[in-house]
Structures are given as structure tokens and as C-alpha cells.
Amino acid sequence: MNISFLGNWRKRRGPAFGVAVFTGGDDDGHAGLAELLAECELLRAQAAQAGVRLDDSASSLEALDQLVPRWRDDEETAAWLGNDAGLYLGTVVVRTVPGARWEIWPNGQPVVRLVSGREIDVVEAGQEWAASGVPELSQLYAEVAES
């Protein structure tokens, strides 16, 4: 469906982001949050169509970086895919970097907090990756894993 005023509205306001906000700081809450944020349905579907298996590993980030960015022709798909790419990057970091965990900023934005206290806005990184391919997801992961 092509609704001209909607396209103009999106250009002025940017893509919409959806998040779930959890209360409490118990481990069950963090596990549930990690599971929810790991879904990334659109990204997983796009990757599967391209023959890429997303197994929550650093090598799967490298495979994503090699995909032909056909989604850039569709502004709405690119926005959602960027969101999913950021959440997937965060999922890989949380599952493979010791001490990394999901946190929710007061504005509802999910970020990854490292043991050092550094917070990574993975959704923003995913949006940039979907729009331009930079930074590469695997490169950002390597930088985060080193710190």
C-alpha cells in the first residue's frame, strides 16, 4: 500500500521503534528480556532466504555483513531490519561476551552493558548497518569483545 502522506511523515520523524519494558532486576527478568530481544523475526527470515543460518555466533555476524542489501530499496523494511540487526548483534554479544547483559534505558531503548560499564546502543548500530553497511556488525562485535 502506498500512502503518500505516510511516507512524508516517516521522512520527517524517522522510523518507529518498538520495545518491551521489563521491571525488576532479577535474573529471570533478564533471561526473559534476552529471549524476547533475540527473536529478530524479520532478520532471521531474510537471512534464511539468503541461506544464512543465524546461530547467535560471531561468524553469523560475518555472514550477515556479506548479504546483498536488497532491503535498502524499501524504507520500512530497512528500518525494521536495522532494528532486528541491532537486537541480533546485542544477542550475540550477550551470549558470547562474559558479563554482558541487556539493559533498558529510561526512554525504552535496549542497550548492551559490558562488565566495564560501557553501554552499547546496538539498535542504533543496526540501523546504520541496514542503511549503509557501516559499521559492519562483525567489526563492531570484535571491538566490543576486545573491551
Side-chain angles (χ1 to χ4, degrees):
M1 179 184 299
N2 186 9
I3 304 173
S4 61
F5 75 86
L6 187 56
N8 291 334
W9 182 85
R10 282 189 183 128
K11 287 178 186 173
R12 288 193 312 267
R13 297 204 176 34
F17 298 101
V19 296
V21 177
F22 288 80
T23 59
D26 60 356
D27 287 339
D28 287 342
H30 279 282
L33 177 62
E35 189 174 317
L36 179 66
L37 295 176
E39 288 181 6
C40 314
E41 289 182 38
L42 180 60
L43 180 69
R44 291 182 187 277
Q46 292 270 338
Q49 286 177 356
V52 174
R53 184 171 169 261
L54 300 184
D55 59 1
D56 301 342
S57 69
S59 61
S60 66
L61 293 172
E62 292 172 8
L64 283 174
D65 287 335
Q66 300 305 312
L67 290 179
V68 176
R70 293 187 176 104
W71 60 82
R72 290 189 187 138
D73 295 336
D74 182 347
E75 190 175 311
E76 187 172 335
T77 300
W80 281 106
L81 192 67
N83 191 64
D84 277 9
L87 295 177
Y88 184 72
L89 170 63
T91 296
V92 174
V93 171
V94 166
R95 292 186 178 169
T96 61
V97 175
R101 65 187 301 156
W102 286 106
E103 295 290 333
I104 303 293
W105 282 345
N107 68 357
Q109 180 79 2
V111 297
V112 173
R113 179 176 292 196
L114 304 177
V115 172
S116 66
R118 179 180 171 203
E119 292 181 335
I120 313 299
D121 187 347
V122 291
V123 173
E124 181 180 323
Q127 290 289 334
E128 292 173 6
W129 174 82
S132 67
V134 177
E136 290 183 339
L137 299 175
S138 59
Q139 178 184 9
L140 186 55
Y141 172 81
E143 291 171 11
V144 168
E146 281 183 6
S147 49

